[in-house]
Amino acid sequence: QMDVDPGPPAGIVGLSSAVSGADGAFEAKGLSRGKPLRIDVSHPSYAPWSSDSQYSQKPPANEVVVHLLVGANFAVELTRSDGGPIEGVNLILTSETPGIYKGDTGTDARGHATFGNVPPGRYELWFIAPPPLGREEGHTVKKMIEVSQGESKSEKIDITTP
């Protein structure tokens, strides 16, 4: 599926959508010549792709060729020092290169969270760990993560101490 936004980056103006055929080709109709546009491509088996940095000043002259990559799956398990799970923590994963990927999710009752179809690259995972008993404030945890195309990676993180 492809979404094309011929409006300014801050707004969704004139949103158009197209689904590719079996050959992977798609056509977006009704676009205005000379207007900036953004193209976002998504597929359940691949990492998302966006043209934010490529066509922000002017649209492409003709054909746009998109090479989708098999995304990585990144799983996190948050635990206390006794091994017990930490539920309800919001995790944010942001690509080292701005605009490539930003995802957020929360841990479930088992302390698990998963980011799916992450493009290959380096990421910063960060979250605010809940405070230990008897304390009022949690602490911020930041961790650099690197994933490869098609990789399934997992991290177990003890968040008891800053």
Side-chain angles (χ1 to χ4, degrees), residues 1 8-9 15 29 31 33 41 45 47 50 56 58 61 66 72 74 92 100 103 113 137 140 146 148-149:
Q1 173 168 331
L15 185 66
K29 297 182 181 198
L31 301 176
R33 289 209 176 270
V41 180
S45 299
S50 178
S56 60
K58 65 177 188 171
V66 176
F74 176 59
I92 298 173
I100 299 294
E137 292 185 14
T140 301
E146 188 162 350
S148 301
Q149 182 175 335

Side-chain angles (χ1 to χ4, degrees), residues 70-73 118-121 123 146-153:
V70 175
N73 289 312
V118 177
Y123 294 86
E146 188 162 350
V147 295
S148 301
Q149 182 175 335
E151 178 181 23
S152 287
K153 187 172 196 164

